[in-house]
Every structure is written in structure tokens, then in C-alpha cells.
Amino acid sequence: MEFQHISEIERATRKGRAELFRLGTGLIFIVGGMLYAAMIGQGEGGVMLAAAAAVGCYMAMNIGANDVANNVGPAVGSKALTLGGALVIAAIFEAAGALIAGGEVVNTIRSGIIDPAKIPDPDTFVWVMMSALLAGALWLNIATAIGAPVSTTHSIVGAVLGAGVAASGMEIANWGEVGRIVVSWVVSPLMGGIVAAAFLYLIKRSITYQHDMVAAATRMVPYLVALMAWAFGTYLMLKGLKQLWKVDFLTAVLIGFGFAVAVLFLVRPLVARRAQSIANSKQSVNRLFTAPLIFAAALLSFAHGSNDVANAVGPLAAIVDVLASGATEISRSAPIPLWVMLMGALGISVGLALFGPKVIKTVGSEITELDQMRAYCIAMSATITVIIASQLGLPVSSTHIAVGGVFGVGFLREYLKSNYARMVADIKAHHPEGDQSAIDAFLARFAVAPIDEKGQMLRELKAKAKQRLDPAHFSKMERKGLRKVYRKELVKRSQLMRIAAAWVITVPASAIMAGLLFFMMRGMMLG
């Protein structure tokens, strides 16, 4: 009995040990960054630099834990990638994006949300940046703990806003920019959902609604993969590589198109060869999208690393700039030392590996069921929506776009299933009562018919039913009962409400925390 009790205790504490390992590893990384900053700093400024580095490491880890899930979550949920494989790919490409294409200069004030000229002195500016970094990181930590994917850009922007207002009053804020961010709460998920749903409907019409799905996939998949190559090529040049190679929109589109043509000729024989050995089923056709999804996860991670590492290291770079130069004026941009960029890149990778799986599971499997085709549509939405929005000057969030894409494909599936159920009810209502064999035969032909032929079959059935005066047809009350469609919910409404609530309160929550932290930090420094 004693050995049995010991075994039960060990099983009960196993989860706690794993949690302690993650917390301990994260703490070691933060302390390591703090010690390195302390060694290169001097005097009182060295203490402040060490503290800022610790907060910067913490912020980078939380970005990795929360924001990266949008890039790999759909691929994991569709089983195109294992969780372990996704973590490795994302960690490598996030770090590569940050180090290769992250840029040498970063804006000290994200999105121009406050006017740095209205901050009274460099010491106050350092306290504002420290408060913003810590508040943004704390909010991301809370969101990750509940499994809610939120925008890291909104987190740090809200935090800078709150700390800036606490330091210099309401007039420091650019309220027009705040309004644009509020607009993005609606624009981003709506655009992401519409684009993802449109691609899923295209795939269904051109492949899965066809009688010979293998032949349809052999014809369409190369074009879909080439379209993905075009979108990703353009996206990488405009977003991922913009620090290394600045190109205008038209040039990026044309180069992306050339890349897409090359991919089309490369992929077409590969798909044709693979199609010869697969069954005529949706599950088999789905596997043709696996390799493109792996490339998509890697490229999205690279672009994210090159862009969003600034959320982690931007305020830290600003603090380093002020402390190192002894500046008396606040600059709107600051150079990024290599050690700061490396700290941000490593922090994102460490945070992803230790704490990322929770949000990855939320995005990949806890909103709606994903397969490779649906994940492909979400990846396309994540790139095309950003490209369109940036050209129209619309404020968007990559997090909101990706999660909106997941909801978009889920709600489209709900609509299509409900619509199919209504058609089946129509079929039953227009057959004589008790003629089950005729109903079964019609449904069998209806199930395998192309979508255009389905509509024609329904129209002919209704026309024939109107010509009959057979009292054996179902009564009006019975037809009403048959037409009643019980909506099958394929999207978890609880997740929708939880994520939407987290999005709405991100800016105010991080702003309030940053303001309180600023007052606390100023009180400690002046006291």
C-alpha cells in the first residue's frame, strides 16, 4: 500500500514538476540577460540597464508564448505539423527573421502613439519605457495563461500610451492613432475571416464538391500552391525583408508573380505523380496541402520575427540609447545593438518552446476543427489581408487576422452544413410519404452530383412535385417539421466570446497597468 501511495503522489506531482521546469528555465534566461547587461553597463546606469534587460527578456518570452501561435497553430491543428516540429521550425525562423531582417534602427515610440517631445526629461522617458515593457509583458502573460491569442503590438502600444499619459497628461497621446487601433479590432478579424472563407469556398467548389476529387485536385492544387507562393513572395518583400531590401508594391507583386510561375512548373509534376497513388477521398486530397503548409509556417515565422521583434526590443533599445549616450533629448528612433536584438530573438524562441503550446492548441484545435485545406486558407488570409490592408492604409493586427481566419472557415462550414440540411429537407418534403426507397435513391445521386447539377436536380424535383396532386405527399405541418434545421455548431462560441473580450480590453488593460507601474517606479526612484 505504501508503494502504491508513493506512485500516486508521484503522478500527482508530475505536472507540477513540468511547470517548475518551465518557470525555472525562463527565470534562468531572464537572469542571464540581466547579468550580461550589468556587465556592459556602468554605475547607476548599469543597474537601470540590467533591470531594463530583464524586463525586455520577459517581454520577448511572452511574445514567443502568445503571438507565434498564429503562425503555426493552424498547421498543428490540421496535423500537417506535430507540435514538436512546429516549435522547432518557429523557433529557428523567428530567430532568423529577427537577426537577419530585423533592422538596425527601431522606432522608440510604437505607432506614434505618444509625442516623446512632451516627456520632460530622459530619466522620465526611461521610466515610461520600463513601465510600458513590463505592463505589456504582464498582460501577454495573463492572456497566455488563459489561452487567449492577443495582439502584442496592441499590448505594447496600450502600455506606452498608459505610461506616457501618467508621465505627461492626456495631451501627450495621439488620439487619432488610438482611434485607428480601435478600428482594427473590427477590420482585422472581419477581413481575415472573409478572405479565409472565400478561399475555402473556392477549394470546395473546385475540388471537394467534384465527383472525381483526385482529378480536380491534380488540376487545381498546383495553381493554389503557386498562388500561395505569389502571396508569400510579395508579403516577404514588403514586410519580412523590408529592412534589407526596400521595394515598392508593384515591384514586389511582379517579383512574387515570377516566383509563383516557377513554383507552378515545379509543383505540377509532383502533384500529378502523388495523385496517382491516393484514393478519391477528401482525406487523401488533404495530404497534398501538407508540404505547402510547412513552408507557410516557416515563412510566416520569419516575417513575424523580422517585424514584431521590435515589440520586445524597441523600448529596450530606446532605454539603451538614452543611457549609453547620456542624451538630453528624446529621439524618435534608436539604433539596436546586436546583443539587444539577439536577446529579443532568443527570448521569443525560449518563450515559444516553454509556454507556446497552450495558445497553439487554442488557435489550432479549440476554436473549430481544422484540416490541411482549412489551414491553407488561414495561411493565405494571413498574408493577403495584410498586403491589401497595408496598401489601403487600414490598421490591422496579424493576430486578429489569423484568428479571424480560423473563425471564418468555421462559420462557413456551419453555413454550408445548414444549407445542405435544408436541401435534404426539401428533397424529403417533395417525395411522397413512405416512399423511402425513392428518397434514398435521389439522395445517393444528389450526394455525388457536382454543385451546379445539385441545383438543377432540386429545381426539377420541385417542379414535378407541383404537378402532382397526390394526397400521399406530406402535410404542410410535416413539411415544416422536415424543413426545420438544427444548427450544428462547428465553432465554439465560448472561445469566440473569450477571445473577443481579451482583444477589446488589451489596450485599456495594458495602459492601466503601465500607468500604475510608472507611478510606482517614479516613487521608488525619487524616494
Side-chain angles (χ1 to χ4, degrees):
M1 288 294 290
E2 291 181 0
F3 285 113
Q4 183 181 352
H5 291 159
I6 290 171
S7 298
E8 290 174 358
I9 291 171
E10 285 186 350
R11 281 196 297 271
T13 58
R14 193 172 297 153
K15 185 177 180 180
R17 289 200 301 270
E19 197 67 34
L20 281 174
F21 171 78
R22 286 194 288 269
L23 290 172
T25 305
L27 186 59
I28 289 170
F29 174 72
I30 292 172
V31 171
M34 183 175 65
L35 291 175
Y36 180 82
M39 284 191 298
I40 64 174
Q42 294 180 354
E44 186 177 336
V47 175
M48 184 60 72
L49 184 61
V55 178
C57 288
Y58 178 49
M59 179 64 173
M61 286 174 56
N62 280 288
I63 290 176
N66 193 288
D67 212 28
V68 181
N70 308 310
N71 304 326
V72 298
V76 173
S78 66
K79 297 181 173 57
L81 275 172
T82 63
L83 180 58
L87 292 174
V88 171
I89 287 174
I92 292 172
F93 283 89
E94 286 279 341
L99 294 172
I100 296 171
E104 298 177 353
V105 176
V106 68
N107 290 334
T108 58
I109 307 296
R110 288 291 295 174
S111 301
I113 199 74
I114 63 173
D115 182 3
K118 294 182 179 178
I119 297 176
D121 57 73
D123 286 341
T124 303
F125 178 76
V126 170
W127 300 339
V128 167
M129 291 293 101
M130 284 274 286
S131 304
L133 260 182
L134 185 54
L138 285 171
W139 173 246
L140 284 175
N141 201 333
I142 293 168
T144 303
I146 63 173
V150 296
S151 169
T152 56
T153 301
H154 287 184
S155 299
I156 196 65
V157 162
V160 168
L161 173 66
V165 168
S168 299
M170 301 293 282
E171 65 275 6
I172 196 175
N174 182 348
W175 294 109
E177 200 63 38
V178 175
R180 285 167 57 82
I181 291 171
V182 172
V183 168
S184 76
W185 293 342
V186 178
V187 172
S188 299
L190 193 61
M191 285 184 68
I194 291 171
V195 173
F199 270 101
L200 182 59
Y201 189 67
L202 171 66
I203 289 174
K204 285 183 175 294
R205 284 293 300 257
S206 60
I207 298 177
T208 59
Y209 287 168
Q210 301 300 314
H211 179 64
D212 190 344
M213 282 188 278
V214 173
T218 304
R219 183 175 62 253
M220 282 298 299
V221 168
Y223 288 101
L224 292 171
V225 174
L227 188 60
M228 175 180 267
W230 190 3
F232 272 85
T234 306
Y235 177 77
L236 279 175
M237 278 180 283
L238 292 175
K239 296 293 181 181
L241 300 173
K242 64 182 180 181
Q243 302 290 353
L244 298 178
W245 183 27
K246 291 187 180 296
V247 295
D248 59 78
F249 176 71
L250 182 59
T251 302
V253 169
L254 291 175
I255 294 174
F257 179 75
F259 184 58
V261 172
V263 168
L264 176 64
F265 284 105
L266 177 67
V267 167
R268 186 179 279 162
L270 296 176
V271 171
R273 194 179 310 124
R274 180 75 186 278
Q276 293 174 0
S277 59
I278 64 174
N280 188 37
S281 66
K282 184 180 176 183
Q283 291 77 12
S284 297
V285 171
N286 249 313
R287 298 192 194 103
L288 297 174
F289 289 86
T290 299
L293 279 176
I294 295 172
F295 280 101
L299 293 175
L300 282 171
S301 296
F302 182 90
H304 180 270
S306 66
N307 274 309
D308 282 30
V309 71
N311 290 321
V313 303
L316 177 56
I319 292 170
V320 172
D321 186 47
V322 170
L323 294 177
S325 63
T328 57
E329 294 184 3
I330 309 304
S331 174
R332 290 182 177 269
S333 61
I336 306 179
L338 178 61
W339 70 269
V340 172
M341 185 63 81
L342 186 61
M343 197 173 287
L346 287 176
I348 288 175
S349 300
V350 170
L352 171 66
L354 295 178
F355 305 105
K358 186 163 189 174
V359 181
I360 288 175
K361 288 176 182 175
T362 297
V363 175
S365 59
E366 294 180 0
I367 296 174
T368 191
E369 184 182 347
L370 296 178
D371 58 18
Q372 287 94 321
M373 292 181 191
R374 296 166 203 153
Y376 164 89
C377 299
I378 296 163
M380 290 296 292
S381 173
T383 53
I384 291 177
T385 304
V386 170
I387 293 170
I388 294 173
S390 64
Q391 295 310 304
L392 295 177
L394 298 174
V396 292
S397 161
S398 58
T399 299
H400 294 189
I401 291 169
V403 177
V406 177
F407 281 113
V409 298
F411 282 123
L412 178 66
R413 290 176 62 222
E414 278 192 9
Y415 169 76
L416 293 175
K417 283 189 178 294
S418 297
N419 195 47
Y420 189 80
R422 282 192 291 270
M423 288 192 289
V424 171
D426 267 341
I427 291 167
K428 291 181 177 179
H430 288 87
H431 276 84
E433 184 180 12
D435 194 358
Q436 189 61 43
S437 60
I439 294 174
D440 290 342
F442 190 93
L443 285 174
R445 287 190 293 116
F446 186 77
V448 299
I451 190 165
D452 295 331
E453 191 176 323
K454 280 183 169 70
Q456 183 61 31
M457 289 174 70
L458 282 175
R459 287 190 291 272
E460 290 176 359
L461 179 66
K462 291 176 183 179
K464 289 178 182 177
K466 285 181 181 178
Q467 294 171 4
R468 295 195 200 105
L469 297 174
D470 189 347
H473 271 76
F474 291 135
S475 67
K476 183 177 180 181
M477 185 64 68
E478 288 170 326
R479 287 200 303 272
K480 185 178 179 182
L482 283 169
R483 287 176 179 271
K484 185 178 180 182
V485 177
Y486 293 95
R487 183 176 64 183
K488 185 177 181 181
E489 292 189 353
L490 301 178
V491 176
K492 292 183 181 177
R493 267 56 176 181
S494 59
Q495 290 284 9
L496 172 62
M497 298 306 296
R498 186 164 61 89
I499 292 172
W503 286 353
V504 170
I505 66 173
T506 288
V507 170
S510 58
I512 291 169
M513 283 194 288
L516 294 174
L517 285 168
F518 173 80
F519 287 126
M520 183 178 71
M521 195 172 297
R522 187 179 64 174
M524 291 170 59
M525 293 298 178
L526 296 179

